mmCIF file of all heavy atoms in Angstrom:
data_model
loop_
_atom_site.group_PDB
_atom_site.id
_atom_site.type_symbol
_atom_site.label_atom_id
_atom_site.label_comp_id
_atom_site.label_asym_id
_atom_site.label_seq_id
_atom_site.Cartn_x
_atom_site.Cartn_y
_atom_site.Cartn_z
ATOM 1 N N ASN E 1 21.198 16.061 13.767
ATOM 2 C CA ASN E 1 20.693 15.575 15.054
ATOM 3 C C ASN E 1 19.650 14.478 14.858
ATOM 4 O O ASN E 1 18.588 14.481 15.492
ATOM 5 C CB ASN E 1 20.123 16.728 15.885
ATOM 6 C CG ASN E 1 21.198 17.666 16.395
ATOM 7 O OD1 ASN E 1 22.247 17.220 16.862
ATOM 8 N ND2 ASN E 1 20.949 18.962 16.315
ATOM 9 N N THR E 2 19.975 13.547 13.990
ATOM 10 C CA THR E 2 19.071 12.463 13.637
ATOM 11 C C THR E 2 19.794 11.127 13.733
ATOM 12 O O THR E 2 20.949 11.016 13.323
ATOM 13 C CB THR E 2 18.511 12.649 12.219
ATOM 14 O OG1 THR E 2 17.816 13.894 12.139
ATOM 15 C CG2 THR E 2 17.556 11.525 11.861
ATOM 16 N N VAL E 3 19.099 10.129 14.257
ATOM 17 C CA VAL E 3 19.599 8.765 14.353
ATOM 18 C C VAL E 3 18.691 7.866 13.525
ATOM 19 O O VAL E 3 17.473 8.045 13.514
ATOM 20 C CB VAL E 3 19.662 8.295 15.812
ATOM 21 C CG1 VAL E 3 20.046 6.820 15.895
ATOM 22 C CG2 VAL E 3 20.669 9.135 16.583
ATOM 23 N N TYR E 4 19.280 6.883 12.855
ATOM 24 C CA TYR E 4 18.541 6.005 11.968
ATOM 25 C C TYR E 4 18.651 4.554 12.423
ATOM 26 O O TYR E 4 19.655 4.137 13.004
ATOM 27 C CB TYR E 4 19.067 6.109 10.541
ATOM 28 C CG TYR E 4 19.066 7.514 9.997
ATOM 29 C CD1 TYR E 4 20.216 8.297 10.030
ATOM 30 C CD2 TYR E 4 17.907 8.068 9.462
ATOM 31 C CE1 TYR E 4 20.217 9.585 9.538
ATOM 32 C CE2 TYR E 4 17.901 9.357 8.968
ATOM 33 C CZ TYR E 4 19.056 10.119 9.003
ATOM 34 O OH TYR E 4 19.042 11.400 8.510
ATOM 35 N N LEU E 5 17.613 3.798 12.141
ATOM 36 C CA LEU E 5 17.620 2.358 12.345
ATOM 37 C C LEU E 5 17.239 1.704 11.024
ATOM 38 O O LEU E 5 16.071 1.734 10.631
ATOM 39 C CB LEU E 5 16.642 1.945 13.455
ATOM 40 C CG LEU E 5 16.506 0.438 13.702
ATOM 41 C CD1 LEU E 5 17.830 -0.160 14.161
ATOM 42 C CD2 LEU E 5 15.400 0.163 14.721
ATOM 43 N N GLN E 6 18.226 1.152 10.330
ATOM 44 C CA GLN E 6 17.991 0.442 9.090
ATOM 45 C C GLN E 6 17.693 -1.012 9.411
ATOM 46 O O GLN E 6 18.510 -1.691 10.035
ATOM 47 C CB GLN E 6 19.211 0.541 8.170
ATOM 48 C CG GLN E 6 19.081 -0.222 6.859
ATOM 49 C CD GLN E 6 18.040 0.375 5.946
ATOM 50 O OE1 GLN E 6 18.010 1.591 5.742
ATOM 51 N NE2 GLN E 6 17.173 -0.467 5.391
ATOM 52 N N MET E 7 16.544 -1.496 8.987
ATOM 53 C CA MET E 7 16.096 -2.846 9.291
ATOM 54 C C MET E 7 15.962 -3.620 7.983
ATOM 55 O O MET E 7 15.143 -3.269 7.127
ATOM 56 C CB MET E 7 14.771 -2.823 10.042
ATOM 57 C CG MET E 7 14.809 -1.989 11.316
ATOM 58 S SD MET E 7 13.274 -2.090 12.265
ATOM 59 C CE MET E 7 12.147 -1.296 11.110
ATOM 60 N N ASN E 8 16.756 -4.666 7.840
ATOM 61 C CA ASN E 8 16.725 -5.523 6.661
ATOM 62 C C ASN E 8 16.310 -6.934 7.049
ATOM 63 O O ASN E 8 16.370 -7.318 8.213
ATOM 64 C CB ASN E 8 18.095 -5.556 5.987
ATOM 65 C CG ASN E 8 18.563 -4.202 5.509
ATOM 66 O OD1 ASN E 8 17.768 -3.384 5.050
ATOM 67 N ND2 ASN E 8 19.873 -3.960 5.594
ATOM 68 N N SER E 9 15.922 -7.716 6.053
ATOM 69 C CA SER E 9 15.527 -9.112 6.265
ATOM 70 C C SER E 9 14.526 -9.236 7.398
ATOM 71 O O SER E 9 14.657 -10.076 8.292
ATOM 72 C CB SER E 9 16.765 -9.973 6.537
ATOM 73 O OG SER E 9 17.681 -9.899 5.468
ATOM 74 N N LEU E 10 13.503 -8.413 7.358
ATOM 75 C CA LEU E 10 12.538 -8.355 8.451
ATOM 76 C C LEU E 10 11.745 -9.650 8.569
ATOM 77 O O LEU E 10 11.421 -10.296 7.572
ATOM 78 C CB LEU E 10 11.599 -7.173 8.262
ATOM 79 C CG LEU E 10 12.217 -5.820 8.624
ATOM 80 C CD1 LEU E 10 11.422 -4.674 8.018
ATOM 81 C CD2 LEU E 10 12.299 -5.669 10.139
ATOM 82 N N LYS E 11 11.442 -10.001 9.810
ATOM 83 C CA LYS E 11 10.699 -11.202 10.152
ATOM 84 C C LYS E 11 9.426 -10.825 10.890
ATOM 85 O O LYS E 11 9.352 -9.761 11.502
ATOM 86 C CB LYS E 11 11.550 -12.115 11.046
ATOM 87 C CG LYS E 11 12.907 -12.477 10.475
ATOM 88 C CD LYS E 11 13.726 -13.257 11.490
ATOM 89 C CE LYS E 11 15.093 -13.608 10.942
ATOM 90 N NZ LYS E 11 15.894 -14.366 11.934
ATOM 91 N N PRO E 12 8.411 -11.686 10.874
ATOM 92 C CA PRO E 12 7.190 -11.382 11.622
ATOM 93 C C PRO E 12 7.444 -11.081 13.099
ATOM 94 O O PRO E 12 6.742 -10.245 13.678
ATOM 95 C CB PRO E 12 6.347 -12.648 11.448
ATOM 96 C CG PRO E 12 6.777 -13.181 10.123
ATOM 97 C CD PRO E 12 8.256 -12.895 10.052
ATOM 98 N N GLU E 13 8.431 -11.732 13.699
ATOM 99 C CA GLU E 13 8.727 -11.487 15.101
ATOM 100 C C GLU E 13 9.344 -10.120 15.361
ATOM 101 O O GLU E 13 9.527 -9.732 16.518
ATOM 102 C CB GLU E 13 9.632 -12.589 15.678
ATOM 103 C CG GLU E 13 10.867 -12.872 14.844
ATOM 104 C CD GLU E 13 10.688 -14.061 13.912
ATOM 105 O OE1 GLU E 13 9.639 -14.154 13.248
ATOM 106 O OE2 GLU E 13 11.602 -14.906 13.845
ATOM 107 N N ASP E 14 9.681 -9.368 14.311
ATOM 108 C CA ASP E 14 10.136 -7.993 14.464
ATOM 109 C C ASP E 14 8.973 -7.018 14.640
ATOM 110 O O ASP E 14 9.206 -5.832 14.908
ATOM 111 C CB ASP E 14 10.975 -7.557 13.260
ATOM 112 C CG ASP E 14 12.273 -8.331 13.125
ATOM 113 O OD1 ASP E 14 12.940 -8.571 14.154
ATOM 114 O OD2 ASP E 14 12.629 -8.694 11.984
ATOM 115 N N THR E 15 7.754 -7.483 14.470
ATOM 116 C CA THR E 15 6.581 -6.632 14.623
ATOM 117 C C THR E 15 6.515 -6.076 16.039
ATOM 118 O O THR E 15 6.535 -6.831 17.012
ATOM 119 C CB THR E 15 5.305 -7.409 14.303
ATOM 120 O OG1 THR E 15 5.317 -7.799 12.927
ATOM 121 C CG2 THR E 15 4.068 -6.559 14.563
ATOM 122 N N ALA E 16 6.447 -4.755 16.164
ATOM 123 C CA ALA E 16 6.435 -4.099 17.462
ATOM 124 C C ALA E 16 6.311 -2.594 17.254
ATOM 125 O O ALA E 16 6.396 -2.096 16.132
ATOM 126 C CB ALA E 16 7.727 -4.401 18.244
ATOM 127 N N VAL E 17 6.109 -1.881 18.353
ATOM 128 C CA VAL E 17 6.272 -0.441 18.359
ATOM 129 C C VAL E 17 7.726 -0.149 18.697
ATOM 130 O O VAL E 17 8.247 -0.652 19.695
ATOM 131 C CB VAL E 17 5.337 0.253 19.361
ATOM 132 C CG1 VAL E 17 5.590 1.757 19.382
ATOM 133 C CG2 VAL E 17 3.882 -0.031 19.008
ATOM 134 N N TYR E 18 8.375 0.649 17.876
ATOM 135 C CA TYR E 18 9.782 0.965 18.058
ATOM 136 C C TYR E 18 9.931 2.367 18.644
ATOM 137 O O TYR E 18 9.322 3.328 18.154
ATOM 138 C CB TYR E 18 10.528 0.871 16.724
ATOM 139 C CG TYR E 18 10.791 -0.551 16.301
ATOM 140 C CD1 TYR E 18 9.751 -1.361 15.872
ATOM 141 C CD2 TYR E 18 12.074 -1.093 16.366
ATOM 142 C CE1 TYR E 18 9.982 -2.675 15.509
ATOM 143 C CE2 TYR E 18 12.314 -2.405 15.992
ATOM 144 C CZ TYR E 18 11.261 -3.193 15.575
ATOM 145 O OH TYR E 18 11.502 -4.501 15.213
ATOM 146 N N TYR E 19 10.741 2.475 19.692
ATOM 147 C CA TYR E 19 10.967 3.719 20.405
ATOM 148 C C TYR E 19 12.451 4.064 20.392
ATOM 149 O O TYR E 19 13.305 3.184 20.432
ATOM 150 C CB TYR E 19 10.545 3.609 21.869
ATOM 151 C CG TYR E 19 9.095 3.274 22.109
ATOM 152 C CD1 TYR E 19 8.676 1.950 22.197
ATOM 153 C CD2 TYR E 19 8.147 4.274 22.270
ATOM 154 C CE1 TYR E 19 7.353 1.634 22.433
ATOM 155 C CE2 TYR E 19 6.822 3.974 22.504
ATOM 156 C CZ TYR E 19 6.431 2.645 22.588
ATOM 157 O OH TYR E 19 5.124 2.343 22.825
ATOM 158 N N CYS E 20 12.750 5.359 20.387
ATOM 159 C CA CYS E 20 14.122 5.792 20.614
ATOM 160 C C CYS E 20 14.198 6.591 21.907
ATOM 161 O O CYS E 20 13.228 7.216 22.341
ATOM 162 C CB CYS E 20 14.679 6.606 19.442
ATOM 163 S SG CYS E 20 13.819 8.139 19.042
ATOM 164 N N ASN E 21 15.352 6.527 22.532
ATOM 165 C CA ASN E 21 15.612 7.202 23.799
ATOM 166 C C ASN E 21 17.022 7.751 23.775
ATOM 167 O O ASN E 21 17.936 7.113 23.272
ATOM 168 C CB ASN E 21 15.453 6.212 24.964
ATOM 169 C CG ASN E 21 16.011 6.753 26.262
ATOM 170 O OD1 ASN E 21 17.179 6.533 26.592
ATOM 171 N ND2 ASN E 21 15.181 7.463 27.008
ATOM 172 N N THR E 22 17.190 8.942 24.317
ATOM 173 C CA THR E 22 18.528 9.500 24.455
ATOM 174 C C THR E 22 18.790 9.877 25.900
ATOM 175 O O THR E 22 17.869 10.272 26.624
ATOM 176 C CB THR E 22 18.745 10.716 23.546
ATOM 177 O OG1 THR E 22 20.102 11.160 23.637
ATOM 178 C CG2 THR E 22 17.828 11.877 23.935
ATOM 179 N N ASN E 23 20.040 9.746 26.301
ATOM 180 C CA ASN E 23 20.387 10.095 27.672
ATOM 181 C C ASN E 23 20.429 11.602 27.900
ATOM 182 O O ASN E 23 20.225 12.059 29.026
ATOM 183 C CB ASN E 23 21.735 9.466 28.049
ATOM 184 C CG ASN E 23 22.895 10.058 27.266
ATOM 185 O OD1 ASN E 23 22.791 10.309 26.068
ATOM 186 N ND2 ASN E 23 24.017 10.258 27.944
ATOM 187 N N ARG E 24 20.657 12.364 26.821
ATOM 188 C CA ARG E 24 20.798 13.811 27.002
ATOM 189 C C ARG E 24 20.523 14.540 25.704
ATOM 190 O O ARG E 24 20.981 14.131 24.640
ATOM 191 C CB ARG E 24 22.206 14.162 27.499
ATOM 192 C CG ARG E 24 22.438 15.645 27.750
ATOM 193 C CD ARG E 24 23.881 15.906 28.173
ATOM 194 N NE ARG E 24 24.134 17.309 28.461
ATOM 195 C CZ ARG E 24 25.316 17.816 28.770
ATOM 196 N NH1 ARG E 24 26.376 17.008 28.854
ATOM 197 N NH2 ARG E 24 25.455 19.103 29.008
ATOM 198 N N VAL E 25 19.765 15.637 25.797
ATOM 199 C CA VAL E 25 19.577 16.583 24.711
ATOM 200 C C VAL E 25 20.097 17.935 25.182
ATOM 201 O O VAL E 25 19.684 18.435 26.228
ATOM 202 C CB VAL E 25 18.100 16.715 24.299
ATOM 203 C CG1 VAL E 25 17.949 17.797 23.235
ATOM 204 C CG2 VAL E 25 17.569 15.388 23.783
#
């Protein structure tokens, strides 16, 4: 029950707070 976000070739403009959301649990 886990989702992943693999981020490669990161750029300064990728700087942010990252959130996940699901429609249903």
Side-chain angles (χ1 to χ4, degrees):
N1 290 317
T2 301
V3 174
Y4 305 97
L5 177 63
Q6 178 68 47
M7 304 185 295
N8 299 324
S9 302
L10 283 162
K11 305 174 181 180
E13 50 263 45
D14 295 318
T15 296
V17 177
Y18 284 71
Y19 300 89
C20 61
N21 167 268
T22 185
N23 67 319
R24 181 183 182 184
V25 176

